[in-house]
């Protein structure tokens, strides 16, 4: 590996040349079944012909324009997003971190516009992950991500998801601006929050005038069988939501969605982006959205998730010495392990299966939404073979 690249990644020792659907191929033709999907980003698989066509057509027209001009693709995609969600308005960026930054700024600006600039506190949670920019890591629940970068930013509060008394007290404080949470934690170990939890927090935020922010960067865009994960629980809609990853089907696109009321402070000059919402990104994202939002795509994802989860639970029953728990929601599946998750990921690569890591010693399966049933069955076979290989390396009890 090149020493000219910052050493911030612990890269796996494999190089891929091309992809097709749920498969990745090395230069010598070795095939790997991809249940990472760019970490829930390639929602329609590799080299999807619908996305290729949209990209190719737009590439021959205009790639980039400044946001000082109207970009019709932004208006088209914003219409689709708002028509299918709680939101009234959208800001486009290039990543999940940018969407989170916009969400946090929107929340604080809301209170400033209401004459309450003292309301800056943002409640976050242990195990959460909201991105790598400075505000995003301060909102996240992993202290390791801010070590060495100077003092914490003011106004960020970390709580446990299971301590509703502390959550209620924090929401009620007069300096609280917003609460940010992932309806299904991704990096934190694929923990799915219940409808009761989301409803309780929604109610308390409304009563206190606190804005509720959902981070659906990983759980959104069909991954749970609904367009957005919180839509499984009507009445829990947020005021602001961050979306990215599968929104562009692999092309860098992020979006911050908000109600008109929540976005009241985001006036001219309050925020911006050079590349956000560029014509090339919008063309691909529109094509991705239209394909993902189809009822049959969402139904297939939900059915596929049930098959994979059931199969993994069956494997867990046979490999209790390797697997602790199967969790998550939809195609954001977490498997908590006895063995070290990084060792398990390496063993899975030996079986030509790619899985992602996660907190709480989990591995995650994040396959494309349109993975075939045959590929899903093959993923289960390779996952069980990995469990067998891991078991064979464990020391025998005396």
């Amino acid at each position: 590996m090149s020493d000219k690249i910052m050493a911030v990644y612990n890269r796996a020792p494999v190089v891929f040349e091309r992809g097709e659907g749920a498969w990745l191929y090395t230069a010598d033709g070795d095939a790997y079944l991809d249940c990472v999907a760019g970490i829930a980003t390639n929602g329609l698989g590799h080299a999807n012909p619908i996305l290729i066509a949209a990209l190719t057509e737009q590439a021959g027209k205009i790639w980039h324009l400044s946001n000082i001009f109207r970009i019709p693709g932004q208006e088209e995609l914003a219409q689709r997003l708002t028509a299918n969600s709680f939101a009234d308005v959208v800001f486009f960026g290039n990543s999940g971190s940018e969407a989170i930054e916009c969400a946090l700024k929107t929340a604080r600006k809301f209170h400033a516009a209401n004459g309450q600039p003292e309301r800056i506190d943002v409640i976050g949670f242990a195990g959460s992950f909201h991105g790598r920019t400075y505000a995003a890591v301060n909102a996240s629940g992993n202290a390791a991500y801010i070590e060495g970068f100077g003092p914490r930013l003011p106004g960020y509060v970390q709580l446990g998801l299971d301590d509703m008394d502390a959550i209620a007290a924090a929401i009620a404080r007069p300096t609280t601006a917003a609460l940010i949470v992932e309806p299904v934690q991704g990096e934190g170990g694929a923990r799915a929050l219940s409808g009761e939890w989301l409803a309780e927090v929604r109610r308390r935020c409304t009563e206190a005038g606190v804005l509720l922010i959902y981070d659906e960067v990983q759980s959104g865009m069909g991954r749970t069988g609904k367009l957005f994960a919180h839509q499984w629980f009507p009445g829990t809609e947020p005021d602001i939501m961050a979306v990215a990853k599968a929104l562009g089907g692999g092309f860098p696109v992020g979006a911050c969605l908000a109600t008109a009321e929540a976005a009241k402070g985001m006036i001219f000059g309050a925020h911006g982006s050079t590349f956000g919402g560029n014509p090339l990104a919008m063309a691909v994202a529109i094509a991705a959205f239209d394909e993902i939002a189809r009822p049959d795509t969402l139904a297939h994802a939900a059915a596929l998730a049930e098959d994979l989860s059931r199969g993994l639970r069956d494997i867990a029953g046979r490999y209790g010495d390797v697997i602790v728990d199967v969790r998550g929601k939809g195609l954001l599946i977490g498997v908590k392990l006895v063995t070290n998750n990084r060792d398990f990921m390496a063993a899975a690569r030996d079986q030509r299966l790619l899985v992602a890591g996660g907190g709480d010693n989990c591995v995650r399966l994040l396959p494309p939404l349109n993975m075939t049933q045959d590929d899903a069955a093959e993923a289960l076979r390779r996952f069980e073979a990995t469990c067998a290989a891991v078991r064979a390396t464990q020391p025998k009890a005396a």
Side-chain angles (χ1 to χ4, degrees), residues 133-201:
T133 54
Y134 201 34
V137 294
N138 275 269
S140 300
N142 190 332
Y145 291 151
I146 61 172
E147 289 176 0
F149 296 118
R152 280 185 173 271
L153 290 177
Y156 288 91
V157 179
Q158 297 296 324
L159 299 174
L161 284 164
D162 297 321
D163 191 347
M164 188 54 73
D165 289 341
I167 295 168
I171 291 172
R173 291 183 192 127
T175 56
T176 300
L179 180 148
I180 183 169
V181 69
E182 302 155 278
V184 186
Q185 284 191 340
E187 303 287 333
R191 179 175 181 178
L193 301 184
S194 70
E196 292 77 14
W197 193 98
L198 294 173
E200 177 71 3
V201 166

Side-chain angles (χ1 to χ4, degrees), residues 170-231:
I171 291 172
R173 291 183 192 127
T175 56
T176 300
L179 180 148
I180 183 169
V181 69
E182 302 155 278
V184 186
Q185 284 191 340
E187 303 287 333
R191 179 175 181 178
L193 301 184
S194 70
E196 292 77 14
W197 193 98
L198 294 173
E200 177 71 3
V201 166
R202 172 69 279 180
R203 180 182 68 81
R204 291 184 180 276
C205 284
T206 300
E207 290 175 353
V210 168
L211 296 184
L212 178 58
I213 303 171
Y214 285 161
D215 178 344
E216 291 240 28
V217 169
Q218 190 167 138
S219 63
M221 294 310 300
R223 183 136 298 274
T224 66
K226 296 281 190 184
L227 194 57
F228 303 110
H230 73 271
Q231 291 176 334

Side-chain angles (χ1 to χ4, degrees), residues 76-100:
E76 292 179 36
L77 184 55
Q79 176 59 38
R80 284 164 166 77
L81 287 165
T82 56
N84 288 275
S85 73
F86 70 96
D88 302 308
V89 294
V90 182
F91 175 86
F92 291 110
N94 308 286
S95 67
S97 291
E98 289 179 53
I100 291 293

Side-chain angles (χ1 to χ4, degrees), residues 2 20-21 36 40-41 47 54 102 136 166 179 189 194 219 240 290 292 304 308 359:
S2 173
E20 183 178 351
V36 178
T41 296
C102 181
L179 180 148
S194 70
S219 63
I240 306 170
D290 287 348
I292 289 171
L304 192 73
L308 282 170

